[in-house]
């Protein structure tokens, strides 16, 4: 009797580009969470705050698309950040059933040291890679994103 799960898996499965990307992402996220925790933030919350800072007035659905996460994940983070007074919802000027997201003054104050932490992490990476490899990595990652958006 043969089962589908008995099909061989490629010997190089853990050497694939996508696996290397995932390992790097895990390492970056773990470091972000570790360094942001003393500031009372998780990496996901930093991403929400930074996105709203860069694009004030985003709706929850727009934010979810921007972050490539589910609307439910965004709603959960927004609720937590709103409860802490870091984000606020405001009525959309033209659509009364839509709410826009904005940072509060407290949210901006929380974002500054959190962003400094992220800058330190990025500087550590850039120092190890050097300016040429850092620029090349950025270009390659942008190309990966572009290829997958086209697919």
């Amino acid at each position: 009797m043969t089962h589908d799960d008995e099909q061989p898996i490629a010997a190089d499965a853990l050497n694939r580009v996508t696996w290397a990307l995932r390992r790097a992402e895990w390492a970056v996220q773990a470091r972000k969470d570790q360094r942001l925790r003393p500031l009372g933030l998780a990496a996901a919350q930093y991403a929400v705050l930074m996105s709203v800072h860069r694009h004030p007035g985003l709706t929850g659905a727009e934010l979810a698309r921007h972050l490539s996460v589910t609307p439910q994940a965004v709603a959960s983070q927004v609720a937590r950040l709103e409860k802490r007074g870091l984000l606020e919802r405001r009525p959309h000027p033209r659509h009364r059933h839509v709410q826009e997201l904005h940072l509060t003054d407290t949210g901006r104050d929380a974002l500054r040291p959190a962003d400094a932490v992220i800058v330190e992490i990025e500087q550590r990476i850039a120092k190890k890679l050097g300016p040429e490899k850092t620029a090349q990595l950025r270009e390659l990652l942008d190309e990966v994103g572009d290829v997958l958006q086209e697919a």
Side-chain angles (χ1 to χ4, degrees):
M1 181 175 200
T2 303
H3 299 292
D4 285 342
D5 62 352
E6 292 178 0
Q7 295 297 318
I9 296 173
D12 68 342
L14 298 181
N15 293 325
R16 294 180 186 149
V17 169
T18 53
W19 189 250
L21 284 169
R22 188 65 182 133
R23 279 194 330 265
E25 168 138 18
W26 280 330
V28 168
Q29 287 302 108
R31 181 55 56 104
K32 284 180 178 180
D33 278 327
Q34 175 191 45
R35 297 290 316 282
L36 290 169
R37 191 174 304 119
L39 301 176
L41 290 173
Q45 293 171 329
Y46 166 81
V48 168
L49 292 174
M50 182 56 79
S51 295
V52 173
H53 168 71
R54 299 288 294 159
H55 307 284
L58 285 174
T59 66
E62 290 168 337
L63 181 59
R65 284 190 296 277
H66 182 76
L67 295 174
S68 299
V69 298
T70 66
Q72 295 83 357
V74 162
S76 174
Q77 293 299 337
V78 166
R80 286 186 185 109
L81 293 167
E82 186 178 31
K83 185 175 181 179
R84 292 178 51 197
L86 304 177
L87 277 183
E88 65 183 3
R89 299 172 206 244
R90 297 181 193 161
H92 190 282
R94 291 180 302 280
H95 306 286
R96 62 185 172 120
H97 296 294
V98 175
Q99 293 184 319
E100 298 179 335
L101 299 170
H102 294 271
L103 289 183
T104 63
D105 289 341
T106 304
R108 275 185 285 286
D109 290 344
L111 184 56
R112 284 183 192 98
D115 192 51
V117 163
I118 302 307
V119 167
E120 287 177 24
I121 292 169
E122 290 188 9
Q123 287 174 339
R124 182 175 181 184
I125 294 167
K127 182 178 179 183
K128 175 68 176 173
L129 295 179
E132 189 175 308
K133 283 184 179 178
T134 298
Q136 184 181 25
L137 177 61
R138 175 61 199 246
E139 289 173 20
L140 290 170
L141 291 172
D142 285 344
E143 285 183 37
V144 169
D146 292 344
V147 165
L148 295 176
Q149 285 180 346
E150 293 169 3

